[in-house]
Amino acid sequence: MNRTGNSAMNRANAGAAFRATLKRDLLISVKRRNDILNPFMFFIIVVSLFPIGISPESAMLRQIAAGVIWIAVLLASMLSMDSLYRSDYEDGSLEQLLLSSQPLYLLVFAKNIAHWLVSGLPVILVSPLLAYMLALPAEGYLTLVLSLLLGTPVVGMIGAIAVALTVGLGSRGLILAVITVPMSVPVLIFGTLAVQNSLAGGSPLGYLALLGAMLAAAASLAPVATAAALRISLN
């Protein structure tokens, strides 16, 4: 009974720490609105410039719409990644996380969720509007949103590992891009192919299933890798 009681208490404490970390990061993000607005506006600007730079013709835009949106999402996510652990490192709270009695990977997972909610979710919500601007047919909207819902958390968790490895460096923008972009390319490819396959009359479920498998793998392994990278960087 004692072991069962202690196990239940440990799970309750871990759940409380998870919720507290999630709530804290969301409140900090609300206070620092630029960390939310900058990637969001960057995403809109990048997508809006493609019709000007390439062609305003609907036939041309329809072919590249999914790829354009996914590329813009990847670039916007890299812009937002730099703020993931920056404030925690500067004010010393990151070291407190490492010293916490709760599992570090669980706290890291909470921070990843909070970061996706403030940087990834707004991009997904506005993506149908930008897809309409790029003349994407209506039958591709649902697949686009589903692919972004599955793919953007994967990109965010991959980026979290890169940020954790470089958290102590002063200038890390190029290093983050070098680490994150190659590992995120499969997500971009599967997300784009899912939309294109849907527009061609096929089923996008195969590509969405691959994105779902990547999300499950990332949710299982990335927080552990991020926690290990943080310990290496701060020791």
Side-chain angles (χ1 to χ4, degrees):
M1 292 295 294
N2 289 336
R3 289 185 177 179
T4 303
N6 290 336
S7 177
M9 185 176 296
N10 289 336
R11 287 196 297 270
N13 291 336
F18 178 88
R19 291 189 296 271
T21 303
L22 179 63
K23 181 179 179 181
R24 172 186 176 273
D25 277 34
L26 288 175
L27 290 174
I28 291 175
S29 298
V30 170
K31 293 179 180 179
R32 298 180 177 178
R33 293 183 177 86
N34 286 339
D35 291 342
I36 303 175
L37 292 176
N38 288 345
F40 181 74
M41 295 305 299
F42 178 81
F43 170 72
I44 293 177
I45 291 171
V46 169
V47 175
S48 301
L49 288 176
F50 268 89
I52 299 174
I54 298 179
S55 172
E57 295 182 4
S58 298
M60 174 69 72
L61 294 177
R62 189 180 300 115
Q63 296 176 2
I64 65 172
V68 167
I69 290 176
W70 263 105
I71 291 173
V73 165
L74 179 59
L75 295 176
S77 66
M78 287 194 296
L79 183 63
S80 66
M81 284 173 193
D82 188 60
S83 62
L84 184 55
Y85 296 115
R86 183 184 61 201
S87 60
D88 293 333
Y89 177 75
E90 292 173 350
D91 63 18
S93 59
L94 190 56
E95 294 182 359
Q96 297 300 317
L97 283 180
L98 268 66
L99 297 174
S100 173
S101 60
Q102 302 302 326
L104 180 58
Y105 68 86
L106 189 65
L107 304 181
V108 165
F109 190 44
K111 294 179 73 66
N112 286 343
I113 294 176
H115 181 259
W116 179 81
L117 287 174
V118 299
S119 63
L121 187 58
V123 166
I124 296 173
L125 293 177
V126 79
S127 61
L129 178 61
L130 296 178
Y132 175 79
M133 184 184 70
L134 294 176
L136 183 73
E139 55 267 25
Y141 287 7
L142 179 59
T143 304
L144 175 65
V145 172
L146 290 176
S147 66
L148 290 173
L149 282 172
L150 294 171
T152 51
V154 178
V155 174
M157 284 185 278
I158 291 173
I161 300 174
V163 172
L165 287 170
T166 60
V167 68
L169 302 180
S171 178
R172 56 189 181 184
L174 180 59
I175 299 177
L176 285 178
V178 170
I179 297 175
T180 304
V181 171
M183 298 178 67
S184 301
V185 167
V187 180
L188 186 151
I189 293 174
F190 292 146
T192 303
L193 288 178
V195 179
Q196 291 179 346
N197 205 41
S198 178
L199 297 178
S203 174
L205 293 180
Y207 296 111
L208 293 177
L210 288 172
L211 288 174
M214 294 175 69
L215 176 58
S220 302
L221 302 176
V224 178
T226 303
L230 287 173
R231 295 188 186 279
I232 293 172
S233 298
L234 297 181
N235 289 335

